[in-house]
């Protein structure tokens, strides 16, 4: 894989002949129209570049495809009248998100938003985040800035065909050949930088084969888009390296889980409202922290969205178990990093790598906004977080702020899909049970 010098800045996207000619001159042959599903996975369609002008009208999908579980099985349409006729969703291309992935230099990737009868669809995570940020804007005059930090494992097949971590040795905060034996992570990082989505540092995390790649902060939709594209870029590049990128919360029993930490600050008129001139935390920062604490259980339905997520939150490692907060403390649910001034921000440490960055950030904005509107007081100790997906989903369904913010249709469909996961796991006989009980019962 080579990384051609692509000047993403030089792209002047528009549905016109000029842009088409620019694309043709660069040798672009196809346009991949992308959206996120409810689980933060990349979905989309690929078109010949010559379709650019026709794409202005949007791309049609069956709505049912965005109401599917992780295996692709849709919700029961009898439970959801809005799905009964299997209507269409339309994806509208956000051309300003267009970029050329360095490992596919003849392809243009463009993010889209899903609408339904001309209105944003509740089943579109990007539209959900836009709506959450708009609510902050209209009710409080605030704008959110965020950054996501996904961790992940790389696995490959050993000589017997079993999936094993890419590295077996090394220590955290390294990028040498012990950590990255074939140089694959170094190559993947270079390609990701070329996506121009604000990729910064890569390093090994606490377990062999586990890495973290960070992103620059950005306005909140850009930040979630980058985290989403980073995850899908890592997955594609890992496949090109003959490996599998794993974004499970807890893929290996004995090793660390993988997080998706989210940093958040709120801004008004170009100023960070979390900061104070004295270098402390503003009332808005404290209210926002309290709002996130108040809605912690429902946030977990997005931060820890799988059955597996709760194994990461077992108390081992630097993952939270209660909705506590503290300054400069990596064991808490909300950490306030030491930087102050314009860099004053909170970090939610509950999210795991399987989270949809868009939905998690939307949930944080609804919760922070509620805390600010009600002037809530944070509680350093917090309360225990849900111990299972079942509890988190029940908390989401009961949460009036989230039902209002995300919409009844979304909450109903999301909860139904997640409950299916809960039921599937409850009925499955695991290796752990087999190993323990076959001899000891
Ligand atoms: N670097 C870190 O903070 C480690 C986070 C840890 N892997 C988690 O899952 O929460």
């Amino acid at each position: 894989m080579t990384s051609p010098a692509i000047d993403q800045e030089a792209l002047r996207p528009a549905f016109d002949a000029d842009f088409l000619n620019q694309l043709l001159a660069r040798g672009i042959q196809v346009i991949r129209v992308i959206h996120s599903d409810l689980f933060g996975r990349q979905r989309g369609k690929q078109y010949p570049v010559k379709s650019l002008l026709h794409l202005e009208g949007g791309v049609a999908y069956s709505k049912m495809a965005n109401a599917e579980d992780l295996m692709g099985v849709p919700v029961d349409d009898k439970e959801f009248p809005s799905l009964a006729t299997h209507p269409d969703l339309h994806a509208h291309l956000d051309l300003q998100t267009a970029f050329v992935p360095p490992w596919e230099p003849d392809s243009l990737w463009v993010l889209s938003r899903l609408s339904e009868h001309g209105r944003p669809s509740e089943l579109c995570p990007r539209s959900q985040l836009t709506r959450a940020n708009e609510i902050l804007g209209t009710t409080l005059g605030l704008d959110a800035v965020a950054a996501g930090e996904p961790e992940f494992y790389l696995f490959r097949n050993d000589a017997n065909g079993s999936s094993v971590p890419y590295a077996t040795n090394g220590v955290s905060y390294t990028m040498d050949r012990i950590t990255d034996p074939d140089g694959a992570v170094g190559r993947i990082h270079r390609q990701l930088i070329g996506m121009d989505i604000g990729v910064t540092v890569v390093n090994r995390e606490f377990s062999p084969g586990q890495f973290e790649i960070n992103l620059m902060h950005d306005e909140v939709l850009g930040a979630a888009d980058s985290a989403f594209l980073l995850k899908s870029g890592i997955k594609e590049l890992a496949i090109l390296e003959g490996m599998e990128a794993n974004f499970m919360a807890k893929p290996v029993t004995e090793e660390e889980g993988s997080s998706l930490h989210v940093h958040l600050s709120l801004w008004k008129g170009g100023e960070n409202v979390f900061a104070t001139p004295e270098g402390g935390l503003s009332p808005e920062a404290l209210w926002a922290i309290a709002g996130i604490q108040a809605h912690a259980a429902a946030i977990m339905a997005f931060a820890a969205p799988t059955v597996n997520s709760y194994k990461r939150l077992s108390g081992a490692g630097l993952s939270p178990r209660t909705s506590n907060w503290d300054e400069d403390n990596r064991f808490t649910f909300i950490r306030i990093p030491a930087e102050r001034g314009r860099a004053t921000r909170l970090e939610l440490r509950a999210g795991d790598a399987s989270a949809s960055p868009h939905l998690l950030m939307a949930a944080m904005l609804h919760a922070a906004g509620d805390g600010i509107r009600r002037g809530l007081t944070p509680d350093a100790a917090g309360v225990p977080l849900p111990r299972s997906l079942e509890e988190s989903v029940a908390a989401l369904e009961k949460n009036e702020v989230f039902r209002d913010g995300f919409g009844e249709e979304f909450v109903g469909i999301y909860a139904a899909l997640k409950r299916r996961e809960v039921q599937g796991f409850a009925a499955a006989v695991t290796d752990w049970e087999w190993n323990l009980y076959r001899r000891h019962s």
Side-chain angles (χ1 to χ4, degrees):
M1 287 184 292
T2 54
S3 181
I6 290 166
D7 183 1
Q8 309 276 11
E9 289 299 317
L11 291 171
R12 287 187 308 279
F15 291 104
D16 61 19
D18 251 18
F19 186 47
L20 177 57
N21 287 333
Q22 275 186 59
L23 296 177
L24 290 169
R26 282 162 178 261
I28 303 293
Q29 296 198 38
V30 291
I31 300 179
R32 193 191 288 190
V33 180
I34 292 170
H35 65 271
S36 166
D37 68 13
L38 296 181
F39 315 112
R41 295 179 306 185
Q42 186 192 123
R43 310 282 282 259
K45 295 183 180 182
Q46 181 165 297
Y47 291 82
V49 67
K50 290 200 168 133
S51 305
L52 174 73
L53 273 52
H54 303 294
L55 289 174
E56 185 164 16
V59 172
Y61 292 93
S62 164
K63 181 174 178 182
M64 214 54 175
N66 250 33
E68 288 174 348
D69 65 19
L70 284 163
M71 300 288 287
V73 182
V75 285
D76 182 353
D77 57 11
K78 285 186 255 347
E79 269 183 58
F80 296 96
S82 64
L83 290 165
T85 62
H86 290 218
D88 270 1
L89 292 180
H90 282 90
H92 304 278
L93 287 71
D94 269 347
L95 271 194
Q96 75 281 5
T97 65
F99 71 97
V100 179
W103 62 95
E104 251 179 49
D106 64 350
S107 154
L108 187 77
W109 287 17
V110 186
L111 295 177
S112 60
R113 295 169 193 267
L114 303 174
S115 77
E116 209 177 331
H117 305 300
R119 300 181 42 201
S121 168
E122 289 183 18
L123 300 183
C124 173
R126 292 189 77 231
S127 303
Q128 284 286 4
L129 181 53
T130 301
R131 178 175 146 90
N133 197 36
E134 278 169 6
I135 294 174
L136 271 185
T138 51
T139 61
L140 296 164
L142 295 171
D143 253 319
V145 167
E149 302 177 338
E151 296 177 333
F152 60 98
Y153 277 81
L154 290 174
F155 284 94
R156 61 177 167 188
N157 287 344
D158 68 9
N160 309 319
S162 327
S163 194
V164 293
Y166 161 56
T168 48
N169 237 323
V171 289
S172 63
Y173 303 123
T174 49
M175 275 306 295
D176 55 19
R177 289 288 169 149
I178 299 170
T179 273
D180 184 14
D182 298 347
V185 178
R187 284 191 294 277
I188 289 174
H189 185 226
R190 288 174 180 79
Q191 301 280 326
L192 295 169
I193 293 168
M195 289 169 82
D196 217 16
I197 55 170
V199 166
T200 60
V201 57
V202 59
N203 64 269
R204 180 195 187 270
E205 271 302 316
F206 292 105
S207 293
Q210 189 190 31
F211 300 89
E212 169 170 327
I213 297 185
N214 288 348
L215 289 160
M216 282 292 291
H217 61 273
D218 194 358
E219 51 79 26
V220 72
L221 180 63
D225 287 347
S226 293
F228 159 76
L229 287 168
L230 179 60
K231 280 173 71 172
S232 70
I234 293 169
K235 285 183 197 171
E236 299 224 352
L237 290 162
I239 292 169
L240 294 174
E241 292 282 354
M243 292 196 276
E244 196 174 286
N246 182 300
F247 289 89
M248 280 171 73
K250 179 83 172 167
V252 183
T253 307
E254 301 77 21
E255 302 290 354
E256 288 278 325
S258 293
S259 58
L260 173 68
H261 296 156
V262 176
H263 292 250
L264 175 71
S265 54
L266 299 178
W267 293 69
K268 188 180 265 181
E271 295 297 325
N272 181 344
V273 303
F274 282 0
T276 64
E278 299 76 37
L281 292 177
S282 69
E284 284 85 351
L286 296 172
W287 298 329
I289 292 168
I292 292 174
Q293 289 187 307
H295 296 285
I299 289 175
M300 293 308 276
F302 303 107
T306 69
V307 165
N308 177 254
S309 298
Y310 297 82
K311 293 172 185 171
R312 165 176 168 262
L313 301 168
S314 66
L318 295 173
S319 58
R321 270 168 78 80
T322 59
S323 61
N324 52 354
W325 79 281
D326 198 2
E327 300 193 33
D328 205 11
N329 182 346
R330 289 179 196 270
F331 288 97
T332 51
F333 176 70
I334 297 171
R335 175 177 81 116
I336 308 297
E339 294 89 351
R340 287 294 189 273
R342 290 176 71 79
T344 309
R345 62 196 189 276
L346 63 83
E347 176 191 28
L348 182 70
R349 298 180 58 82
D352 69 60
S354 64
S356 151
H358 293 97
L359 295 178
L360 174 54
M361 290 185 196
M364 290 172 69
L365 297 195
H366 288 309
D370 186 50
I372 295 173
R373 278 188 291 274
R374 294 201 281 148
L376 297 179
T377 306
D379 162 25
V383 295
L385 292 171
R387 296 300 310 138
S388 68
L389 181 59
E390 191 170 12
E391 282 180 49
S392 304
V393 170
L396 169 65
E397 286 180 296
K398 283 207 296 267
N399 188 303
E400 293 294 332
V401 171
F402 282 19
R403 291 175 78 105
D404 196 45
F406 284 103
E408 296 288 343
E409 181 191 38
F410 169 85
V411 170
I413 289 173
Y414 187 81
L417 293 172
K418 288 293 155 189
R419 254 198 313 274
R420 194 184 280 171
E421 267 174 71
V422 169
Q423 288 158 0
F425 181 67
V429 178
T430 62
D431 286 356
W432 184 89
E433 290 162 281
W434 173 251
N435 292 331
L436 180 64
Y437 300 128
R438 71 175 160 164
R439 292 200 212 294
H440 302 289
S441 47

